[in-house]
Structure formats: C-alpha cells, structure tokens
Amino acid sequence: SLSNDGTYSGVTSTTLVVSGVTTAFNGYQFRAVAGNTAGAVNSNEVALTVQVAPAFTTAATTSFTLGAAGSFTVTATGRPAPTLSLASGTLPTGVSFTTTSTGVDSTTATLSGTPTTGGGTTVSLVLRAVNAAATVDQNFSLVVMTVPAITTQPVNATGSLGDTITFTAAASGSPAPTYLWQRLPSGT
C-alpha cells in the first residue's frame, strides 16, 4: 500500500501522481484497488518506464594514422538505448562509422578503417545519439596523423681537432616530429 508523501499523492483517489521520478523507479508496477462493502477488485497492472536522455561516455577525440588500420569505439548510454549516427562531417576515405551493438541501456558504434586521405588534418564531426527522451549531439575530432618522413638527410662531415661540427636533418609528419640524435659504433 502507498501513502501520500513527497513521492506519491492521490493514493486514495482515481488518479495516482508520482513525483520526483528517478532511474530507480524504472520498472515499478502499479495497480488500483477499488473496493466497497461488497468487495474489492484490482485494475490492470501498469509499469513505469523511466526514459533517460542519451549521454556519450567516451572521449570526444581519437587519432588514426594515414595508411594504417585504426579503430575507436563510441559509447552512449540512455533509456531506451539510443541509436547512434554521424550527424555531420565527412569521414576520411577508408574510414566508416558502424553501430556494433545495442544493449538495454547503451549502444556502441565503431569508427574503423584505414584512412587514405586527410593526412595531417583534424576532421570535425558531429556524432548523434537519439532515443525517446532526447537527441544529443557531441562534437568529435578525428585526427589523421602521418608517419614521419625524413625530408633532409644529414651528410658526412669532416673536421679538424677542436672544430665544431654540425649535422642537420629534417622530417615532415603530423603531429610535427621530435628529434633525437644517436651516435652509432664505428663501422656500422
């Protein structure tokens, strides 16, 4: 039996009001019992379904490398489980966005493939999660990195005792490469 309190009101009337609904209320069942001195009868049972707006639970950025296979899983929660889609933006050639699984309260999708275009760029996308409670968009960045390539090779140098010798090398890549010189054993 219910009593009129901060959560329930109208418990002895034809209309029950449930206030302050939380996710814990999902699946609660209710029925009315109508009675008089001649007896009592139960109404049909009804269920309370609490809808929860979608929320993305994964990072809003990932990196792939041009010419190399990559994968990133996007997850959104909500009740009912949301559908995921690419709302705007263009994926690099070779990369796709596919829903991979839907659970009771969550959905996953995967960005996967081998980018063949867009090296050195950041692709701006908008991912969308939709359910009966709401539509939620998330800005998302896909960074397409490139492997460093030597653009200026160092050359042999000759010097005399006490001289200062300079070697120079340069490389391209995205993000910009860092450098670390090494000294190798003689004769290699």
Side-chain angles (χ1 to χ4, degrees), residues 88-90 122-126 140-142:
S88 70
T90 302
T122 297
V123 179
S124 295
L125 306 169
V126 176
F140 189 87
S141 296
L142 173 57

Side-chain angles (χ1 to χ4, degrees), residues 16 25 29 31-32 36 49 52 54 56 60 82 89-90 94 121 128 133 182:
L16 174 65
F25 287 50
Q29 294 185 337
R31 69 175 175 203
N36 61 20
T49 300
V52 179
F56 287 92
T90 302
T121 64
R128 179 166 288 160
Q182 298 176 330

Side-chain angles (χ1 to χ4, degrees), residues 85-186:
S85 64
L86 180 62
S88 70
T90 302
L91 292 170
T93 302
V95 177
S96 63
F97 182 83
T98 308
T99 298
T100 49
S101 70
T102 301
V104 174
D105 294 332
S106 68
T107 301
T108 58
T110 303
L111 281 165
S112 63
T114 303
T116 59
T117 60
T121 64
T122 297
V123 179
S124 295
L125 306 169
V126 176
L127 306 180
R128 179 166 288 160
V130 178
N131 69 7
T135 296
V136 175
D137 289 343
Q138 175 176 308
N139 292 326
F140 189 87
S141 296
L142 173 57
V143 178
V144 183
M145 302 180 299
T146 57
V147 174
I150 299 294
T151 56
T152 301
Q153 292 285 354
V155 295
N156 292 328
T158 302
S160 299
L161 290 174
D163 285 352
T164 299
I165 306 298
T166 302
F167 295 98
T168 302
S172 63
S174 179
T178 59
Y179 298 90
L180 176 64
W181 285 90
Q182 298 176 330
R183 185 179 61 85
L184 304 174
S186 295

